[in-house]
Amino acid sequence: MTLMEFFGCTFISFGPPFALFLFTIARDPMRIIVLIASAFFWLIALLLSSILWYAVVPLRETLAFGLVFSVLIQEAFRFLFYKTIRLADEGLLKVTQQNEDQHVTPKDISNKNIMAYVSGLGFGLIAGAFSMINLLADMSGPGTIGILGDSKFFFWASAFMTLCFILLHTAWGVIFFAALDNKNYIRVALVVAAHMLISCLTLLNQQSDFSNSAIYLSNIIPAYIILIISGCAAFITAGGSLNNIKAALVCQKGRYQID
């Protein structure tokens, strides 16, 4: 039973992100490099968050303290990665012009929304891996979930929240980069605020006066509402429209593109 749930939660958490990687990134070496680089920046943010949490001894047991500063540090490193990518754009363009691989083209690098999308997915994948891998490892062992009185919904809720955060980071990457390019700092602030809101909602899991289902729904429903809003905003930011969707559904090549 636990093995079945292990595979189910794994596919829920990483199935759609893996499909995005497979169909939009895997064939392009330059996108893979950007993906790995963005994941590395997130790891540095996690390291700094851990150091801060460990250094402030009086607040070490206060989860909200570590969570708030972790979100702020992650967004600071998203900004640093944006600056790094923009400084490296010219160099990356020269590299791709010299590369004879048909899958690596200057257009891919010059398209800033593509790089924003790839970096956002890199942030999301590594964040999802760190939040879910330990749970999956525990889940794969023998036993029956909930036999000791724990919630039987915990792993499923964690899987859906992990998927949500991965997709949110992807959408936030597109919005964040475009907002900085256009000097629209209100949108930057909205991305940070949305990240903070969704993260703080997970603190409700500490409450004991709610039923288990109520606790998880109070996290999942607002998170997916914000995901839908963020996804639509990212789609429009990247130049999407209803005509693009219609053309894509009928597979009319050349009728749609994302600028």
Side-chain angles (χ1 to χ4, degrees), residues 9 15 48 64 93 99 127-128 134-135 144 159 164 195 218 234 237 241 248 255:
C9 290
L48 292 180
L93 188 59
N99 197 321
N134 287 338
L135 294 179
T144 301
C164 185
H195 192 178
S218 67
T237 298
S241 66
R255 291 285 303 279

Side-chain angles (χ1 to χ4, degrees), residues 195-207:
H195 192 178
M196 186 70 71
L197 173 61
I198 297 301
S199 298
C200 289
L201 280 175
T202 60
L203 295 175
L204 294 175
N205 292 333
Q206 300 179 91
Q207 302 296 324

Side-chain angles (χ1 to χ4, degrees), residues 235 241-252 255-256:
F235 178 72
S241 66
L242 290 177
N243 290 332
N244 300 149
I245 297 175
K246 293 178 182 178
L249 291 176
V250 296
C251 299
Q252 294 180 356
R255 291 285 303 279
Y256 61 94

Side-chain angles (χ1 to χ4, degrees), residues 35-112:
L35 182 82
I36 295 174
S38 65
F40 178 72
F41 269 66
W42 188 91
L43 288 174
I44 298 176
L46 178 65
L47 176 62
L48 292 180
S49 301
S50 301
I51 292 174
L52 178 62
W53 169 81
Y54 188 79
V56 184
V57 178
L59 297 176
R60 191 179 297 175
E61 300 299 326
T62 305
L63 184 59
F65 167 76
L67 184 147
V68 168
F69 277 94
S70 177
V71 170
L72 294 177
I73 292 174
Q74 285 180 50
E75 294 302 330
F77 271 84
R78 195 194 302 273
F79 173 76
L80 290 177
F81 189 72
Y82 162 82
K83 299 296 290 185
T84 302
I85 284 293
R86 291 298 177 258
L87 289 174
D89 275 347
E90 184 176 349
L92 290 173
L93 188 59
K94 291 180 180 179
V95 170
T96 55
Q97 287 173 339
Q98 297 172 1
N99 197 321
E100 297 180 355
D101 189 338
Q102 61 179 350
H103 298 308
V104 181
T105 63
K107 184 178 179 180
D108 288 337
I109 300 302
S110 62
N111 191 322
K112 295 180 179 181

Side-chain angles (χ1 to χ4, degrees), residues 3-259:
L3 191 60
M4 294 173 62
E5 192 149 12
F6 166 81
F7 282 109
C9 290
T10 300
F11 294 146
I12 290 172
S13 302
F14 301 106
F18 178 75
L20 290 176
F21 171 80
L22 188 64
F23 291 110
T24 64
I25 296 176
R27 297 181 61 188
D28 191 325
M30 195 58 63
R31 296 184 190 182
I32 294 176
I33 292 173
V34 173
L35 182 82
I36 295 174
S38 65
F40 178 72
F41 269 66
W42 188 91
L43 288 174
I44 298 176
L46 178 65
L47 176 62
L48 292 180
S49 301
S50 301
I51 292 174
L52 178 62
W53 169 81
Y54 188 79
V56 184
V57 178
L59 297 176
R60 191 179 297 175
E61 300 299 326
T62 305
L63 184 59
F65 167 76
L67 184 147
V68 168
F69 277 94
S70 177
V71 170
L72 294 177
I73 292 174
Q74 285 180 50
E75 294 302 330
F77 271 84
R78 195 194 302 273
F79 173 76
L80 290 177
F81 189 72
Y82 162 82
K83 299 296 290 185
T84 302
I85 284 293
R86 291 298 177 258
L87 289 174
D89 275 347
E90 184 176 349
L92 290 173
L93 188 59
K94 291 180 180 179
V95 170
T96 55
Q97 287 173 339
Q98 297 172 1
N99 197 321
E100 297 180 355
D101 189 338
Q102 61 179 350
H103 298 308
V104 181
T105 63
K107 184 178 179 180
D108 288 337
I109 300 302
S110 62
N111 191 322
K112 295 180 179 181
N113 289 318
I114 290 179
M115 292 297 103
Y117 157 76
V118 174
S119 66
L121 185 58
F123 257 64
L125 283 173
I126 194 66
F130 266 80
S131 66
M132 197 64 187
I133 290 300
N134 287 338
L135 294 179
L136 292 175
D138 291 338
M139 194 186 311
S140 61
T144 301
I145 296 174
I147 194 171
L148 297 179
D150 298 321
S151 173
K152 61 182 180 180
F153 301 111
F154 172 72
F155 289 113
W156 292 101
S158 298
F160 279 107
M161 284 301 295
T162 298
L163 172 62
C164 185
F165 267 105
I166 294 174
L167 298 179
L168 278 170
H169 274 294
T170 304
W172 288 338
V174 175
I175 299 170
F176 193 91
F177 281 34
L180 289 174
D181 285 337
N182 298 323
K183 301 187 186 305
N184 190 337
Y185 299 114
I186 295 178
R187 289 192 177 183
V188 174
L190 288 175
V191 169
V192 178
H195 192 178
M196 186 70 71
L197 173 61
I198 297 301
S199 298
C200 289
L201 280 175
T202 60
L203 295 175
L204 294 175
N205 292 333
Q206 300 179 91
Q207 302 296 324
S208 59
D209 55 343
F210 291 101
S211 65
N212 288 329
S213 59
I215 291 174
Y216 297 132
L217 288 176
S218 67
N219 295 337
I220 293 175
I221 292 177
Y224 274 87
I225 290 174
I226 293 180
L227 173 60
I228 294 172
I229 296 172
S230 299
C232 292
F235 178 72
I236 295 172
T237 298
S241 66
L242 290 177
N243 290 332
N244 300 149
I245 297 175
K246 293 178 182 178
L249 291 176
V250 296
C251 299
Q252 294 180 356
K253 296 183 179 180
R255 291 285 303 279
Y256 61 94
Q257 66 179 21
I258 296 178
D259 299 325

